[in-house]
Every structure is written in structure tokens, then in C-alpha cells.
Amino acid sequence: ARGADTVDPFSLFGSAWQNKWIILGSTMLFVAAAAIILSNITPRYSATAKVLLNPRDTRVVTSQEVVSGLDLSDPVIESEVAFIRSSVLLESVVRDIGLDRMPEFDPRIVEEPGLGTKLNNLFRSVMLFLNGGSADAPSDLTNVEGDSQGTEADTVVPETLADQDATAADNPDNVYRRAVGKLREYLTVSQVGNSYAISISASAQDPQVVALIVNKIAERYISSQEEERVEGTRRAADWLQTRVDDLREQVADAEVTVEQNRADKLIADGGTFDVTSQQVVAMSSQLASARADRAEAQARYDQISNLVATEGFAEAAEVLSSPFVVSLREEHASLARELAGLSSNIGPDHPNRLSLTSMISKVEADLETEVRKIIEGLENEVEVASIRERSIASDVLALEERASSIALSSVEMRHLEREALALRTQYDTMLARLKETRAHVALAREEAKVIEYALPPALPSYPRKKLLISAAAVIGAALGLGLALIRELRSTTYRTTEQIDRELQLPVLAALPREGQRSANFLPRKGRKFFSDEFEERVRRLYISVMARAGSSVRTMCVTSSVTGEGARTTALALAQVAADMKQRVVFVDLNFQERNQPSLNPRRRTPRELVSALRKNGSLSAFIQSNKSTGYDVLPIGNLDAEVSGTFSGTRFTSIIKYLAKEYDLVLIETPPVLESTEAFVIAREADALIYSVSWNRTKAASVRQGLSSLLDLGMVPAGIVLTNVDRARIDDLYQAPQPMAVQAGGVA
């Protein structure tokens, strides 16, 4: 079985097919209405021209143009679109074409609107509203009848004011402006996607006129761009020429003033600030060098003096690099080595040793004398360097004072030079810009071009009959589907097993398809199969389920329903056939006296009051039971009722007959009259071991089913379950059957 939340497309299609005439009727109604409306609408023709804004610059000159090119961003393109729709441009187009060639836009021509025009205005208002525009009615539409409760004074207009309004309306400028207003209603200007192209579309009743209007708008937009560009450049060139002439005179006067001031200052200062500054730089370099020399001499002098004071002249001689000092140090070292060699061989009083000692003393005295001379020389060197440093510092100070004096006196001079330089720079810039502007005048070009001209359309664009009729068909079909859905939702019948479980609290024993339920008026003859294989299989499952639920002691089984035509007879006959096929002795007892056609072995022979006669007479039942070897089960018909049978089944005779049949047969199948149509049904159902309640799918009213079951329950009779009959084959798979007990699943009914 399928889940409750599963949506079966075949089931939905089946519901739609059941309501096909509602859907078809709604569709045809909308299509017919759309066709009538479209036949009364005046057709309009649309034409489109496209203009491309040129994103490329032709750089003949390198300077920026006076009237700059368009920076093709979205705001700029939107501005160009607004300019194309402007009243200034459109009015020039209308004047160029002439209102005599476009009479539908002439406000002086007033026509009485017919049905087509009214439908046209209504349809156009709806389309404008759907497209995001305004669907308001035109401002000139008024109520010609006026207010029925108003007075005559409320509608009187002074003659002078009326004359003034008429004069203003006839003014040519006002006529053209009103014509532009009407034209703008049928004009669409928009950017083509994200490109630099602009689409210009319009609609009119004449295809030739609409193509002319669109092309004129595109051409006028191009020419207005060129005119604006050239005129702006010329005005800029004239202004630049005047400015250049003024600057030329100002530059000449400023340069003369600067030269005169420079000559006077040179005489007064004896030199220029630049020369003095260069001298200061040179002397400062010399001062730095003198200070370095003095510091170096001072350092050498201090080093030698400190060594002499602390270590003596011998140690001071070690750091001096004088050639004479070096030779003395070498001689002293040689004599010291020789003395050391003799000390190990001879005594201290030996003449050679004494001679060497005397020579070493003489060399040491010479070293001391030489070191003293060097120290004196270094001292003189430091003094000379100090004197030179002080002299150069004095010169630098004098030059700086002179430069400061010249600088203070050159402030006015520099101010004059800056003014002259600024005027010269401005003059050069303006002169160059003037030449470039004159070049731009000659090289002026359009910033847009027409890339697609409009052609007179061959077919009308409004109204779009095929599309609108298709839309009407879709809307009609959708409305029909909606009505069908509402009808389905408002249905008061049982369509799913979930409804029965939820509302009746009874299991659904089986769902029997409509196929196979041809006619239950007569029993099948020999060699004729009455039920299909699938139908019999479902009934077999029903039989096994009932036997398993009620127990193997079931000998009498009753099939009933709420009203006539629920399929109870077909279900009972099918159960009898299935039981007979299972080699059981079965008798079908027809007690549904509400239906006058009962099954019989021979449809041409009717025995009056068969069962009724047996009930009212104490005779044998064998005379009333009909046998049929082709079906395998017997039939006890109720017969043709000609009199009232109320109370016939409430006696002990009926109970005895049922008990007798239960002894003679394995299964007694009883069909009762509908419980809502005869109270005898309750008396009959009381004698059965198992009660099956038949409900016709999507036909029996839910209230009838609930009322019938409530009546049975009030009398203590609980049906074994529900059988859904006459189920649509397209939906039968969606209806699950109540699970069989374990005994049935294990091996069937004993």
C-alpha cells in the first residue's frame, strides 16, 4: 500500500478526466470571450530603431576635449534615455513630421470612442499596470452626464474663461505639446541589456507612420548631439581667445618689471644672492677641512706628549714613524743584541762590553733629542691649524651675513618673479588649449550612430491575438481545474481508505474495481465467465480475510449497504462464486426485496414469492432452491413481491430457515435490503455470523454511510469491515486493504 502523503499523477489525471467537461467549458468560454474582445480592438503596429553609443575615442590630438565624451556608465546611459524621451526632442520630431501625417496624435481631432476603442483603452491600461506603469484613466475623460443631484449653476462656466481655454488649446505650441504627450504614451526607450545600445520603440495605427516616427527620433538624437558638441566647442574657443589676449599683455608688463628690479638690486648689493651662496658653500667646505686638520694635529701631539710623560722617550719613539727615529731604534736594537751575546762570555769590565754600553747610551740620548724635536714640530703644527681655522670661520661668517642681507632685500624681487612666472605659465597653457580647441571644432563627431533603422511592420504587434487567445485558454483551463479541485475537495463521498479508517473506525477488507461488475440481474450461464480474474482474486482475498477475522465457525455471511446501487449484490454473488470454487457448498439467499430484479437460473421463468412463500407456509425449502451446476452454488430467490412483506422476517420461521440452510450448506450468503431503505435489513442481519458493509467508491454519501452504520451499532451489530466497490481502476492501487490476520498469512482458513 502507498503512503498517505504520496501524490499519484495518474490519480490527479483521473480526477481531471472526471471533471473534463467543466474544464473544457471554462476554457472555451474564456477563448470565446477573448476572441470577441480582440475582434473589437483596433490593431497597432510597432517599429524599433537602435542607436549605439560610441565607446571608442578617436585621438587625433592628445588633449582632453572641451565638451567631454560620454562616460558610458549606467547613470549616463539612463540620462541619454531620458533625453530621448524628453519633450524638447519629441516636439522637434513632431514639428518635423507634421500632425497632418500623424492624425492619431493630433489632439484637435476628437473621435467618439466606440466599443473597440473602450476595450482598447481598458486592455492597454491592464497591460500598463502589469508592466509596472500607471493604469489610471486619461485625465480628459469626464462624466458627460454630470451629477444628477447638482444644480445648473454648478456646471456653468463663464464665457470668458471658456474662450480663454479654447484659445489656449488652439495655440500651436500647446497643440504640439499635447501631441507630444500622446506620443510619449506609445513610446518606449530602453537600454538593450548591458550593452551600449539604446532601443527606441513606438506603436501607431499606421505602419508607415510608426517607422517614420522612430527613425526621426533616432536621427534627431544624433544630430542634436553633434550640434551641442560643436556649439560648445566654439563658445569655448571664443572665450579662450579673449583670455589669451589679456594674458599676453599681463605677461609682457610683468617681465619688464622683473628685469628693471633685478638691475637696480644688482647695483645696490654688489652681487647676487646665488653667487654669495656659492661662496658660502665653498668656504664652509674649507672650514670643515681646516677643523679636521687641526683636530688631527692636536691628536698626534697629545698622544706623543702623554707617552713621554708616562712611559718615557723610548716608548714614545716606538710610535713615531720618522726615518731618523726608525734608524736610531734599529741601531739601538742591534747594539742591545750584541751586548746580550757578550754578557754570557765576558765580564762586565771587559773593554768590549764597556764600549758597547757607551754606544747604547749615546743612541738613547740621540733618540730623546729627536723625540723632543718632533714634539715641538707637532706643537707648531697645531698652532698653525688653529690659526687657519679661525681665519676661515671668520670669512664664512662674513659671507653668511652678506647672504642674509641680500636675501632680506630680495623678497620683493622673488615675488615679482613668481608673478611673472605664473602669468607666463597660464599664458602658455591657455595658448596651447586655444589651439587644441580649434582643432576639436574641426574634428567634432557624433558620439552615437544608428545601427538599425525601423522598417514598416507587416503584422500588427498589438493585440497579440495568438498569445492572448492562448493565455485565455490557459486561464480558462486553470479556472476549470480550480473549479474541479473545489468540487473534489467539497466531495462528501469516500475516496480513500484513510477516510474510512479515520471516520468510521472500521477496516477496509477489499477494494473491488468497477471492471467485472457488468450486471448482477442474472446468474452466469454455463460456459460464461461472469467476473474477471483480477476481480475474483480480490474477492478471494476478501473471503479469506472475513473468515479469518470472524473465525472458522462462520456459516452465514450477510452483505448489506446504506442505499440501493452500492454493489452489495455483486459482492455477494462474487463471494458465493469464490466459495464454490473452493469446493464449498454455498447457497445465495436473495433478501433484497428493494430491487425487483433477482438472479435466477432461467431469466424467462419467475416463481412468485419463492422465499416469501416458504416463510408464510410450512413447506419444504427444496422446492424454492434453484441449483446451477455452471456456477457451483445454489440460489434461494425472494421472488416477485406483490404485497407488503413488513414483519415477514421477524418470526421464528425465518430463523429456522437460516439454521436449516446453515446445516445443509458450508456457507450461506445473504443479501439484505439497504439499511436506510428497509428496517427488515436489521432483522435479517441479526441472523448472520459475519456482516460485510458495502460502500460505493466516490458515490455513496458519507452521511448515509455513517447513518447506516450507526443504526447497526445501536442494535449491537458490528460489521467485520468495509468493502469499497465500483473503484476507478486508475486509483485502485492507491487504496490499501486491511492486513490479514496471522492465521491467514500462515496457511489460509481452516
Side-chain angles (χ1 to χ4, degrees), residues 38 68 73 128 149 152 179 197 200 226 389 398 443 518 599 622 650 747:
L38 293 175
S68 62
S73 58
L128 286 174
Q149 297 180 354
E152 184 178 358
I200 305 173
E226 182 180 3
E389 178 186 356
L443 296 174
R518 301 178 180 88
S622 59
S650 60

Side-chain angles (χ1 to χ4, degrees), residues 13-20 487-488 495 697-698 728:
F13 179 77
S15 298
W17 181 253
Q18 289 180 351
N19 298 276
K20 56 183 177 295
R487 183 185 179 191
E488 291 290 321
R495 301 168 59 87
W697 178 82
N698 198 28
D728 188 357

Side-chain angles (χ1 to χ4, degrees), residues 127 214 309 518:
M127 296 303 294
V214 171
R518 301 178 180 88

Side-chain angles (χ1 to χ4, degrees), residues 330-340 356 359-361 363:
E330 292 176 354
E331 184 179 358
H332 182 273
S334 176
L335 293 174
R337 286 195 300 272
E338 187 177 354
L339 179 61
L356 286 174
M359 292 175 62
I360 289 174
S361 299
V363 170

Side-chain angles (χ1 to χ4, degrees), residues 497 500-501 506-512 537-550 557-559 571 575 690-694 718-725 735-741:
T497 55
I500 296 176
D501 289 341
L506 289 175
V508 177
L509 301 176
L512 304 181
E537 178 61 28
R538 290 180 177 272
V539 175
R540 186 176 295 109
R541 293 176 60 188
L542 167 63
Y543 173 75
I544 295 174
S545 179
V546 173
M547 297 297 290
R549 290 175 183 275
M557 191 180 298
C558 183
V559 181
T571 303
L575 283 170
L691 179 61
I692 300 174
Y693 205 87
S694 178
V718 180
I722 303 295
V723 176
L724 278 176
T725 61
L735 306 178
Y736 71 85
Q737 185 170 321
Q740 298 177 356

Side-chain angles (χ1 to χ4, degrees), residues 519-531 536 540 570 572-589 599-603 625-636 665 667 669:
S519 174
N521 293 335
F522 305 105
L523 296 174
R525 298 179 183 178
K526 184 177 181 179
R528 178 183 176 187
K529 188 174 179 60
F530 188 68
F531 301 111
E536 287 188 359
R540 186 176 295 109
T570 302
L573 289 173
L575 283 170
Q577 184 66 61
V578 167
D581 292 343
M582 298 174 68
K583 306 304 180 182
Q584 296 191 32
R585 297 179 65 250
V586 183
V587 61
F588 173 71
V589 182
S600 175
L601 293 174
N602 188 352
I625 297 175
Q626 303 178 17
S627 299
N628 189 347
K629 295 181 180 180
S630 62
T631 61
Y633 61 87
D634 297 340
V635 177
L636 180 58
Y665 292 91
L667 179 65
L669 272 168

Side-chain angles (χ1 to χ4, degrees), residues 703-722:
S704 299
V705 176
R706 289 194 296 268
Q707 183 180 356
L709 289 174
S710 177
S711 300
L712 289 172
L713 295 175
D714 291 341
L715 296 176
M717 291 177 282
V718 180
I722 303 295

